[in-house]
Amino acid sequence: MTQKILIVTGDAAESLEVLYPYQRLREEGYEVHIAAPSRKTLRFVVHDFEPGFDTYTEKPGYTWPADLAFADVDPGDYVALVIPGGRAPEYLRNDPELRKIVKSFFDTDRPVAQICHGPLLTASVDALRGRRVTAYPALEPDMQACGATFQDTEAVVDGTLVSSRAWPDHSGWMREFLTVLRAKAPAS
């Protein structure tokens, strides 16, 4: 039986941070579902780093269909969770259905991959206290405020939690996440 992985996201998620793990995990042999506040076509964005800007720039990105709504997710059906960044986590952390989903993965020690602004969501369920994480560097004070130890590096593994700064770190992030997945929940 093929193992399933859940990606939770919404409008204004960073295109590469959704689609790279989606494709990479499917390539590895996992069945991957994307959940959002509602089952609809999502509108992603592209965050790019350009000379002369103090932070990233944002442009329209790809559209992609959500497979299911958060309210329709049974977390027990999934062996792992992926939380992309972009602006989506800023408003998704207010969704009570999504907070239940995220909390269930931490309560059962299943693998979770988070990137960029994704840790805002895991922080909202108090899942980062006492852990080592990385995130988009501007989130360092947020990570410290929620009780995490911030490390400005490509990928940080703390048990079954794998975090990364942003899409330029994808190869290191997915390499570490796949190491955790292969040990904890092999594809088949």
Side-chain angles (χ1 to χ4, degrees):
M1 185 164 117
T2 303
Q3 301 277 35
K4 295 190 282 187
I5 296 178
L6 182 66
I7 297 177
V8 292
T9 194
D11 288 328
E14 211 293 323
S15 293
L16 288 174
E17 293 173 2
V18 177
L19 297 176
Y20 179 79
Y22 177 82
Q23 297 292 350
R24 182 63 190 94
L25 294 167
R26 290 184 67 213
E27 178 183 54
E28 191 70 17
Y30 292 93
E31 183 177 334
V32 182
H33 296 163
I34 295 176
S38 64
R39 190 172 180 208
K40 67 171 195 162
T41 298
L42 298 168
R43 292 173 300 278
F44 301 145
V45 298
V46 172
H47 286 165
D48 208 353
F49 304 97
E50 298 182 26
F53 278 77
D54 292 330
T55 189
Y56 54 84
T57 60
E58 183 173 286
K59 301 168 185 73
Y62 293 103
T63 59
W64 199 267
D67 298 304
L68 63 166
F70 297 146
D72 300 325
V73 170
D74 178 352
D77 290 344
Y78 299 92
V79 297
L81 176 68
V82 176
I83 305 171
R87 284 185 295 117
E90 295 172 8
Y91 69 89
L92 292 176
R93 63 185 165 172
N94 296 315
D95 187 301
E97 291 297 324
L98 180 54
R99 286 197 308 268
K100 287 182 212 170
I101 293 167
V102 173
K103 187 171 180 340
S104 74
F105 280 87
F106 284 94
D107 288 348
T108 55
D109 197 34
R110 285 176 282 165
V112 175
Q114 61 183 9
I115 190 166
C116 192
H117 284 72
L120 292 175
L121 183 52
T122 52
S124 75
V125 299
D126 198 31
L128 301 182
R129 187 173 309 283
R131 290 186 177 263
R132 292 176 299 104
V133 299
T134 193
Y136 187 69
L139 269 61
E140 180 176 359
D142 302 276
M143 297 299 94
Q144 292 169 340
C146 74
T149 300
F150 180 82
Q151 297 177 333
D152 188 3
T153 188
E154 182 179 67
V156 173
V157 179
D158 187 312
T160 56
L161 175 64
V162 181
S163 55
S164 191
R165 295 176 296 200
W167 62 261
D169 295 332
H170 271 161
S171 58
W173 179 51
M174 278 293 108
R175 184 173 40 254
E176 296 296 341
F177 188 55
L178 285 167
T179 298
V180 170
L181 277 174
R182 289 175 184 139
K184 189 91 171 164
S188 53

